[in-house]
Amino acid sequence: MMLRIIHGKLKPGTWNSYERAYKESMKKAGKIPGLKGRWLAHAVDDPDAGYTMSLWENEAAMRTYESGDILQKTILPQLKPFFSGDYATTRCEVRFAEEFD
């Protein structure tokens, strides 16, 4: 499995609008092949920063998504207007996982 983590800073005061746009764009995207889960997290110590994390079956599915139309034409056009320019993507191979109730 692969974990894709994005850290980004938004233009000041736009978090609530960004969160609404994020949720709307995820609905429009629909079911994405290989995507096992996704999370949006708002930074506690910075009201204009946050993270998205997505869990993928494998690297091929993640890379297909990254270069595909769903991300490039459906999701990013709705979200880019909120970004301040500080944006970083990290891709990780999951080596251990444990779940708790």
Side-chain angles (χ1 to χ4, degrees), residues 67-80:
S67 63
D69 285 349
I70 292 171
L71 178 62
Q72 301 302 323
K73 295 182 179 178
T74 302
I75 297 173
L76 287 180
Q78 290 189 56
L79 302 182
K80 276 187 177 181

Side-chain angles (χ1 to χ4, degrees), residues 2-3 18 32 42 46 48 54 66 70 79 89-90 100:
M2 298 294 293
L3 181 64
Y18 169 78
I32 299 170
H42 191 191
D46 185 346
D48 300 318
S54 54
E66 290 177 333
I70 292 171
L79 302 182
T89 302
T90 303
F100 301 97

